[in-house]
């Protein structure tokens, strides 16, 4: 009898899930494999974790994409890891989560995490970060989103840039549940610009919540940016996980095949 869920998924999807890592949601990314050696490889995680790295530096006049802001608005690295029960997300950024949202003072707060089911450019779901200035919803809430806010930049501001593909904050939606989230304080010593200040977000949510939001096991993007959208970052987890009912049917089917095989070989 096959007991390993990852092996069951591999047989039916052709994709082997990585061995489940022990991840504690505490804002410390050491258990993701993130290092503190002061070089570019610090951002490379453990095997099996999908990631995007775009670490930059500089002052507020430094160009990012599609806007400016240097280290203070740098979306540095985004990570995603899927087990048979949870989605884990981690973000490294130079943007202080407590940055006030005061556009008249050229200051923009932290955005929410957005998820695009099916990679079609529509972000159906959001995870609400909920800093002090945010008037919508509850902190750590997973929402089926009805309306997004967007950043400062219009279509074509940068090559291929489409405003609709870069949501910044949830304005309206339906609360589906609460994610586990931790945000670190300021940290230094990471990456090739080791004197830069970094902040880390870490999130865990059950796959059941994603299914409640309409996810059918297909590919999806995770997106994050600030309210100005001066620098965005996207990661697309590569593993397709069947729905819970499908897993049960697979398990029962494999158990049946194993039982029949044992019965035949007993004669």
């Amino acid at each position: 009898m096959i007991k390993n869920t990852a092996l069951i998924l591999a047989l039916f999807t052709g994709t082997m899930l990585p061995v489940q890592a022990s991840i504690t949601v505490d804002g410390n990314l050491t258990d993701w494999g993130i290092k503190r050696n002061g070089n570019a490889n610090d951002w490379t995680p453990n095997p099996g974790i999908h990631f995007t790295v775009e670490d930059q530096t500089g002052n507020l006049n430094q160009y990012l994409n599609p806007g400016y802001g240097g280290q203070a608005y740098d979306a540095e690295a985004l990570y995603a890891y899927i087990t048979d029960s949870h989605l884990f997300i981690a973000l490294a950024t130079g943007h202080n989560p407590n940055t006030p949202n005061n556009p008249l003072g050229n200051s923009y707060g932290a955005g929410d995490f957005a998820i695009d089911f099916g990679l079609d450019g529509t972000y159906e779901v959001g995870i609400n970060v909920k800093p002090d200035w945010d008037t919508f919803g509850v902190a750590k809430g997973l929402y089926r989103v009805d309306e997004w806010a967007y950043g400062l930049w219009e279509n074509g501001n940068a090559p291929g840039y489409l405003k609709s593909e870069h949501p910044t904050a949830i304005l309206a939606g339906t609360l589906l549940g609460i994610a586990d989230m931790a945000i670190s304080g300021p940290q230094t010593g990471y990456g090739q610009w080791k004197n830069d200040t970094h902040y880390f977000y870490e999130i865990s949510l059950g796959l059941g919540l994603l299914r409640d939001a309409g996810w059918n096991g297909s590919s999806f993007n995770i997106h994050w940016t600030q309210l100005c959208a001066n620098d965005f970052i996207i990661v697309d987890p590569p593993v397709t996980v069947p729905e819970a009912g499908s897993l049960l049917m697979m398990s029962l089917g494999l158990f049946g095949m194993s039982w029949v095989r044992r019965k035949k070989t007993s004669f």
Side-chain angles (χ1 to χ4, degrees):
M1 178 180 176
I2 299 175
K3 297 181 180 180
N4 190 297
T5 304
L7 182 55
I8 292 172
L9 292 176
L11 290 173
F12 280 82
T13 68
T15 303
M16 178 66 78
L17 286 174
V19 176
Q20 183 168 341
S22 176
I23 292 179
T24 301
V25 178
D26 56 4
N28 184 336
L29 303 193
T30 301
D31 47 7
W32 293 73
I34 307 309
K35 306 162 191 68
R36 199 173 192 170
N37 298 326
N39 60 60
N41 290 334
D42 288 357
W43 302 122
T44 302
N46 293 328
I49 294 173
H50 206 51
F51 66 103
T52 300
V53 175
E54 297 179 355
D55 189 15
Q56 300 181 71
T57 191
N59 59 29
L60 291 175
N61 295 321
Q62 176 67 40
Y63 179 72
L64 299 167
N65 185 15
Y68 292 79
Q71 177 62 16
Y73 284 85
D74 187 14
E76 298 172 322
L78 187 60
Y79 305 89
Y81 180 66
I82 301 177
T83 71
D84 55 2
S85 61
H86 283 78
L87 168 65
F88 293 89
I89 302 169
L91 169 72
T93 176
H95 184 262
N96 187 335
N98 297 316
T99 300
N101 189 50
N102 179 19
L104 294 178
N106 199 30
S107 177
Y108 295 88
D112 298 327
F113 290 83
I115 300 177
D116 169 13
F117 296 148
L119 311 181
D120 59 2
T122 299
Y123 286 86
E124 297 89 347
V125 174
I127 303 170
N128 195 16
V129 171
K130 196 68 168 64
D132 291 341
W133 49 261
D134 189 349
T135 58
F136 173 80
V138 298
K140 310 177 187 179
L142 178 74
Y143 286 84
R144 183 185 294 113
V145 179
D146 297 322
E147 183 180 2
W148 285 103
Y150 296 91
L152 303 176
W153 312 106
E154 300 297 334
N155 294 348
N157 181 81
Y161 185 85
L162 294 177
K163 186 171 185 173
S164 62
E165 294 181 352
H166 302 292
T168 58
I170 305 167
L171 294 179
T174 302
L175 179 65
L176 300 174
I178 303 297
D180 190 9
M181 180 187 297
I183 305 174
S184 79
Q187 308 286 326
T188 58
Y190 294 90
Q192 58 187 313
W193 295 289
K194 61 183 180 180
N195 293 325
D196 282 353
T197 300
H198 312 275
Y199 301 85
F200 301 103
Y201 293 69
E202 197 169 13
I203 298 170
S204 170
L205 57 90
L207 296 187
L209 287 177
L210 288 185
R211 295 188 180 100
D212 290 344
W215 180 54
N216 62 4
S218 62
S219 298
F220 58 88
N221 275 338
I222 303 168
H223 174 284
W224 184 84
T225 185
Q226 316 86 15
L227 293 191
C228 53
N230 278 12
D231 192 31
F232 63 86
I233 193 163
I234 299 173
V235 69
D236 54 331
V239 177
T240 297
V241 181
E243 295 185 28
S246 300
L247 283 176
L248 177 60
M249 293 303 295
M250 290 182 209
S251 301
L252 291 175
L254 288 170
F255 173 77
M257 287 188 290
S258 175
W259 181 82
V260 170
R261 187 177 299 111
R262 289 201 307 270
K263 186 174 181 180
K264 285 182 177 181
T265 56
S266 65
F267 289 97

